[in-house]
Amino acid sequence: MNPIAAVGRMFLSVSDTVGGITLTLARILRAASRLRFDRDETWLNLYKVGVKSYPIVIMTAIFTGAIMVIQSGQYVKQTGATGLLGWGAGYAVLAEVGPVLIGLMFSGRVGANNTAELGTMKVTEQIDALRALAIDPMQHLVVPRFLAMVVMLLLLTALGDLFALVGGALTSQFILDVDWRVFFNGVFNSQLLDEYLVGLTKGVTFGASISVVSCFYGLGVSGGAAGVGRAVNNCVVTSAIGIFVWDYIITYLAN
Amino acid sequence: MRDDPMAHALPWLKPALGRLPEKPVVLRVSGLTKWFGDVCVLDRVDFEMREGEVVGLIGPGGAGKTVFVKICCGLMDPDGGQIEILGENLLELKEKQRQRLRERIGLVFQNYALFDFMTVGDNVAFPMKQRGGATLAEIEAKVQERLTEVDLPKVRHLMPNELSGGMKKRVGLARANINDPELIFFDDPTAGLDPVTSSKIFNLIRKTQAHRNSTCLVISHDIDRMRPACDRYILLYEARVHFAGTEAEAMAATDPIVREFFRKEAGLK
């Protein structure tokens, strides 16, 4: 294949995807601004997206906090600077690793599920049926999912931060023999509020990004079951890329 | 097929009947054209339906029948032509206006398109709930009425995947009828069904149409069984309207394609 043609084709494909995602976002915001979205569907999605994700987020967060403490543990032990343990783990978890890992878990669990659900509705003509019944799929299906993912990823990030610190404190107590109070003193004395807020901002942004990407791929499915599979695959990959791109942008702006 | 009132009128009565005002046009399509890539699916299709008519839309597979219906419902845009539906120029309407127009139209999908995450009762109630203006008790009563009409009074708590194909079709019919639409499209309502269930579905279409004086367009290949339901037929062939008329006109036609469709389906050699 001609390499220039291949690059051109890839550029067109990326432009097509980015343009489609941007248009989907614009349509979601326009539909949401009318404040006429389906409230029952929103509650249902808040439950499906949020409540059912708690266990996996808590697990991820506990291990993330624990790993951060183990990573920095040997240097802390060598230098005896145990007060820095809370700062190090807190800084990494609150601003960076926590939101990113929770976002990735969320995109795998919720984003992929959302694409599969909307995609299946598309290929079985349920989306057309909604339109034929004079119901706007944007207001009925997409806006509730968007709101649920944004709100719930914010809350899950806040919850994840808490459990990551608990995981870090337990690890410092039982693995490194550093008292958990010393760990928490390190966290709270380090004035990590800014990092905490940056982390929450990332949670909101990742939630919006994952929801828009998953709805874009779900509503664009064609070609039956194989098409749904491809869309889910594309959703997971694009969501992960989106998380890292937004992480970079927010980190850059916050520093 | 329903009799044409003019056909049996006494000779002296015909001129008087002829002067009666014709029923209003519910759907008028002119020059409708649709392309998918290089393939022309609809080529300058002209068509008209009047209030209270039941028209059978027939044609070979891939003739563009489903595309035609989706375009008429505003679910797909044509590449050319005009569509006047229930007094509105469909192609000039914005999505919000189309949505309001769709409240007056019903569509029964070929593949049921029931919402698989809702019970049968919720599926049927859904359009009415979304439309608003009715109490929960009114909605419940109407859902029960519609399900009873389609001979499914006891399935409201089941999920769609617990129903047979024929039952799903009938639930789709109940859902399409819940808001008393003026115009209903049936996209192959008997596809994949046994002859007995097919006959039941067509009888049901005729019964509900007669009860509410709605206008119906029925896509089917099963001319033999759709006969009791339809007033006249449109044959789509190679993307164009090849024939439009009553069954008697079709049977008398000399065109080999029309003869093949109608006479073969009617079991005549």
Side-chain angles (χ1 to χ4, degrees):
Chain A
M1 187 191 285
N2 181 350
I4 296 174
V7 170
R9 208 165 284 135
M10 198 177 78
F11 176 76
L12 285 177
S13 166
V14 171
S15 304
D16 192 43
T17 304
V18 173
I21 290 170
T22 310
L23 282 177
T24 306
L25 174 65
R27 289 171 65 202
I28 291 172
L29 293 178
R30 196 175 63 180
S33 68
R34 292 189 197 120
L35 299 174
R36 283 187 58 211
F37 50 89
D38 192 311
R39 280 171 179 75
D40 291 345
E41 188 72 11
T42 307
W43 280 115
L44 180 72
N45 276 286
L46 284 167
Y47 173 76
K48 268 172 32 183
V49 163
V51 178
K52 293 203 161 187
S53 298
Y54 282 149
I56 200 165
V57 165
I58 290 171
M59 283 286 287
T60 308
I62 288 174
F63 280 103
T64 305
I67 291 163
M68 288 299 112
V69 167
I70 291 170
Q71 289 280 8
S72 48
Q74 54 178 309
Y75 301 106
V76 167
K77 273 198 160 178
Q78 277 170 13
T79 57
T82 50
L84 289 177
L85 193 61
W87 171 82
Y91 184 87
V93 163
L94 296 181
E96 195 59 44
V97 187
V100 169
L101 287 182
I102 290 168
L104 288 172
M105 294 301 287
F106 190 83
S107 84
R109 205 195 89 79
V110 177
N113 180 63
N114 188 42
T115 300
E117 207 171 282
L118 291 178
T120 305
M121 287 185 79
K122 177 89 189 303
V123 296
T124 54
E125 292 186 306
Q126 291 178 54
I127 303 275
D128 273 348
L130 278 176
R131 293 176 65 209
L133 294 168
I135 296 156
D136 182 359
M138 271 287 158
Q139 283 176 349
H140 180 71
L141 291 176
V142 177
V143 173
R145 281 165 167 76
F146 175 79
L147 293 175
M149 287 196 215
V150 171
V151 170
M152 278 306 175
L153 194 48
L154 170 70
L155 296 180
L156 290 172
T157 306
L159 185 81
D161 286 344
L162 179 70
F163 276 92
L165 294 178
V166 169
L170 290 174
T171 309
S172 80
Q173 174 79 53
F174 296 110
I175 308 283
L176 299 180
D177 282 333
V178 176
D179 192 86
W180 63 273
R181 280 163 290 212
V182 174
F183 177 84
F184 274 117
N185 273 337
V187 173
F188 292 121
N189 292 336
S190 308
Q191 296 178 332
L192 293 172
L193 182 64
D194 284 351
E195 281 68 26
Y196 180 64
L197 293 177
V198 167
L200 293 184
T201 308
K202 286 180 181 175
V204 171
T205 315
F206 296 164
S209 168
I210 293 164
S211 68
V212 175
V213 167
S214 61
C215 290
F216 166 72
Y217 280 113
L219 294 173
V221 165
S222 60
V228 175
R230 270 195 307 274
V232 170
N233 191 29
N234 288 336
C235 166
V236 172
V237 173
T238 311
S239 293
I241 293 170
I243 285 170
F244 288 115
V245 169
W246 282 112
D247 186 38
Y248 173 82
I249 293 170
I250 295 169
T251 306
Y252 179 80
L253 292 174
N255 290 285
Chain B
M1 192 195 80
R2 276 199 318 188
D3 289 339
D4 176 1
M6 294 289 283
H8 301 293
L10 295 168
W12 57 267
L13 195 58
K14 279 188 178 174
L17 283 172
R19 284 199 298 275
L20 287 174
E22 281 191 311
K23 288 189 170 175
V25 172
V26 172
L27 173 66
R28 180 180 286 134
V29 166
S30 50
L32 193 70
T33 304
K34 180 72 184 175
W35 290 80
F36 286 114
D38 297 335
V39 181
C40 184
V41 189
L42 296 172
D43 182 14
R44 290 162 286 160
V45 169
D46 297 320
F47 173 65
E48 197 176 279
M49 272 176 83
R50 291 185 178 273
E51 190 186 279
E53 266 192 313
V54 180
V55 176
L57 181 61
I58 56 173
K65 303 182 293 292
T66 298
V67 172
F68 177 81
V69 164
K70 286 196 171 179
I71 290 174
C72 290
C73 291
L75 300 177
M76 201 182 264
D77 280 326
D79 294 314
Q82 290 293 320
I83 304 164
E84 189 193 318
I85 187 163
L86 298 168
E88 309 255 20
N89 187 339
L90 180 72
L91 302 180
E92 284 179 2
L93 300 180
K94 292 182 178 162
E95 187 54 32
K96 272 280 144 205
Q97 295 166 312
R98 282 188 185 191
Q99 218 169 309
R100 273 196 291 278
L101 180 65
R102 285 192 204 112
E103 287 177 359
R104 300 163 64 195
I105 300 172
L107 172 59
V108 178
F109 283 81
Q110 187 174 9
N111 299 318
Y112 330 116
L114 299 179
F115 304 119
D116 47 19
F117 51 92
M118 291 181 190
T119 63
V120 167
D122 288 341
N123 259 285
V124 179
F126 187 62
M128 202 173 168
K129 278 184 187 165
Q130 292 293 318
R131 191 177 181 176
T135 64
L136 208 56
E138 286 169 339
I139 294 172
E140 293 288 305
K142 201 161 181 187
V143 167
Q144 195 54 46
E145 186 190 319
R146 290 290 179 271
L147 285 174
T148 307
E149 275 176 8
V150 296
D151 281 338
L152 294 171
K154 291 177 183 167
V155 300
R156 60 181 307 160
H157 299 298
L158 298 182
M159 297 302 283
N161 62 7
E162 295 173 279
L163 304 179
S164 69
M167 290 162 102
K168 285 179 188 171
K169 289 275 184 189
R170 283 186 276 163
V171 173
L173 192 65
R175 186 177 69 178
N177 264 314
I178 191 82
N179 281 335
D180 299 317
E182 295 159 58
L183 172 62
I184 313 178
F185 295 99
F186 298 88
D187 188 358
D188 218 344
T190 57
L193 299 183
D194 63 89
V196 176
T197 314
S198 298
S199 294
K200 275 186 189 170
I201 297 268
F202 283 123
N203 287 336
L204 205 58
I205 290 171
R206 181 85 257 179
K207 204 171 90 181
T208 47
Q209 183 280 331
H211 187 54
R212 301 197 185 89
N213 194 36
S214 47
T215 309
C216 303
L217 180 74
V218 187
I219 294 179
S220 182
H221 297 97
D222 196 352
I223 298 172
D224 212 19
R225 284 186 187 77
M226 74 197 289
R227 189 175 295 127
C230 294
D231 297 314
R232 61 188 179 93
Y233 300 87
I234 303 285
L235 170 61
L236 266 185
Y237 188 78
E238 291 184 344
R240 306 201 69 172
V241 174
H242 196 82
F243 167 82
T246 61
E247 192 195 357
E249 287 166 344
M251 297 302 249
T254 52
D255 185 288
I257 293 160
V258 177
R259 287 175 69 88
E260 192 184 347
F261 256 89
F262 282 86
R263 293 176 73 86
K264 264 195 182 166
E265 290 290 342
L268 303 173
K269 298 286 176 207

